[in-house]
Amino acid sequence: MPGITTEEIALRRKKLMSSLPHGSLVILNAATVKYMTDVVPYPFRQSSDYLYFTGCREPGSIAVIYNLGDLCMFMPDPNPETALWEGKLAHASEAISNLKASRAYNMSDLPKILPRLLKQAKSIYAEDEIPSGGSLDKLPAYKEAIQEKKVHSVHRYAYECRFIKSPAEINLMRHAAKITSEAFIETMKISRTAKHEHVLSATVDFNCKFRGAQRLAFPPVVAAGVNTTVIHYFRNDQQIREGDMVLMEAGCEYYGYVSDITRTWSPWGKLSNSQKDVYNAVLAAYKESIKMYKPGVTLGEVQRVSNDVLVRATRGLGIVKKRDDYLKVNPTAVGRYLGLDCLDCKLIHEDRKLVPGVVCTIEPGLYIPLSDNFPKWFQGIGIRISDEVLITESGHEVLSSSIPKELNEVESLLQS
């Protein structure tokens, strides 16, 4: 796992086991390869918890963590035919040399080795979903442990370990944000002449990978015109028409760690008065909310600040008449945690106080649908501005601050 030492990963396992009752055992499954058709695979993406506690980026194995953080790996059996067609996977000996496992076996040894470990354990912690068709869901000893109610979800404990990022993790996330920020700037520039959602989607994808990202963290949202009001718009297949604004949310994945950024702009260089009013309302909410990103504050408190600004703005502009109508134009949260996943540590509540080392998003927005419930001149306008924020001892650092947000700075970029 580039950027993270095996020593740091071993400390993660020790921290996990110290949070569990004495005599516990943790079982983690590598993600499985999924297929579009019989022989065409989807791009492989490792399970986040498995990656975090093992550092292994390959499919087909099972990790067992026991004692004070010892690691036992069950690796794919050597298969020359698979290696010929798909490439060689790491085997048991490499799990010991590369992953620093205490013990390692072939997967074919699992039915005789794992039952003994399961029987010795007082409690077993595993993922909520075991991949169907894998070695574990066929094991009678594991099914018996489930029936005896010895098996519990590991996610809450894993998320506590993942919540505060180490300096090495922060370096990876900072670089992921840098890659995505540079890709955004290039895409915003090309939007002056490339008036199609698909072209901008391809541009941000290329620029992220060209700069070293392994993949995009999620299908990018590249929405023009009324499509900007669809929060998770993934079609990216429409022409950008004169006067349309573009809302783009995208992020790359850099050795497991993700970025997630949004900007909204006019490829034509100028906004209508209505577009400008909505944009400035969202930008004002951003500016007030970002002041709250510091140790001791919660995302729930940030949400209330953002809501207050946007409620006043939308009522003042006549977009909504009463506070209860506000959720119709902004049903989203202003922030969430970020790390190995775009919705990282999702079981940690928004009322948890932020501490140094936590990374989260700031993403105020307004989405005004084509509906007679709203003034005609505001209908079909969607604006979102989002950045990645690292909580520091003194406050915060915006990891994606190089992408312009102020309207005059955006106009200057497009004219450069």
Side-chain angles (χ1 to χ4, degrees), residues 370-384:
L370 294 176
S371 167
D372 291 339
N373 294 325
F374 305 100
K376 188 172 183 179
W377 48 93
F378 287 121
Q379 290 178 26
I381 297 175
I383 308 286
R384 180 163 66 251

Side-chain angles (χ1 to χ4, degrees), residues 309-337:
V309 173
L310 289 175
V311 166
R312 288 197 302 270
T314 51
R315 292 183 69 180
L317 291 169
I319 296 172
V320 300
K321 296 179 180 178
K322 50 189 179 181
R323 188 181 184 95
D324 291 347
D325 292 335
Y326 166 69
L327 289 178
K328 296 176 182 177
V329 294
N330 184 18
T332 64
V334 73
R336 53 192 158 80
Y337 308 120

Side-chain angles (χ1 to χ4, degrees), residues 196-214:
H196 200 287
E197 295 171 347
H198 175 71
V199 176
L200 301 189
S201 176
T203 302
V204 74
D205 187 353
F206 165 77
N207 275 280
C208 283
K209 292 175 181 175
F210 183 75
R211 287 166 170 76
Q214 285 71 53

Side-chain angles (χ1 to χ4, degrees), residues 308-371:
D308 286 344
V309 173
L310 289 175
V311 166
R312 288 197 302 270
T314 51
R315 292 183 69 180
L317 291 169
I319 296 172
V320 300
K321 296 179 180 178
K322 50 189 179 181
R323 188 181 184 95
D324 291 347
D325 292 335
Y326 166 69
L327 289 178
K328 296 176 182 177
V329 294
N330 184 18
T332 64
V334 73
R336 53 192 158 80
Y337 308 120
L338 207 61
L340 288 172
D341 295 318
C342 292
L343 188 58
D344 206 48
C345 304
K346 61 183 178 182
L347 297 181
I348 295 180
H349 198 267
E350 63 173 11
D351 286 334
R352 173 75 65 88
K353 289 184 178 180
L354 299 174
V355 294
V358 171
V359 180
C360 42
T361 64
I362 176 172
E363 46 186 313
L366 289 172
Y367 317 92
I368 307 164
L370 294 176
S371 167

